[in-house]
């Protein structure tokens, strides 16, 4: 990830997802020179990674909540 994409680490899931959708649309339209396309591709990769991080964190929170719920049920 280049320094120009450092701000991606601060984005919430919805904002990163929405920007990723826009990046994909722009790339699909074409008409960009190679450097612009590569920069957008790298931005898209960084955004996709950020979305995956958010989803993994949410998955872990759900798993933790479920395991705590099972522990509470065992005490009955």
């Amino acid at each position: 990830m280049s320094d120009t994409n450092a701000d991606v680490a601060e984005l919430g899931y919805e904002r990163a997802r929405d920007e990723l959708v826009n990046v994909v649309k722009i790339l699909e339209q074409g008409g960009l020179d190679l450097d612009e396309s590569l920069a957008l591709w790298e931005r898209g990769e960084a955004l996709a990674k950020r979305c995956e991080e958010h989803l993994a964190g949410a998955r872990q929170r759900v798993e933790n909540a479920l395991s705590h719920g099972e522990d509470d049920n065992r005490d009955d």
Side-chain angles (χ1 to χ4, degrees), residues 9-61:
E10 303 301 318
L11 297 179
Y13 174 77
E14 288 81 8
R15 184 144 177 235
R17 181 204 56 214
D18 292 347
E19 188 176 338
L20 178 57
V21 168
N22 288 331
V23 165
V24 170
K25 285 180 185 177
I26 293 168
L27 286 171
E28 286 177 340
Q29 289 173 357
L32 301 173
D33 68 28
L34 181 58
D35 288 335
E36 291 172 322
S37 294
L38 286 173
L40 267 179
W41 180 269
E42 290 172 348
R43 179 87 179 164
E45 288 286 326
L47 291 163
K49 181 179 177 186
R50 184 65 181 144
C51 288
E52 289 173 3
E53 290 169 352
H54 277 291
L55 292 173
R59 185 178 308 113
Q60 186 62 48
R61 288 174 60 193

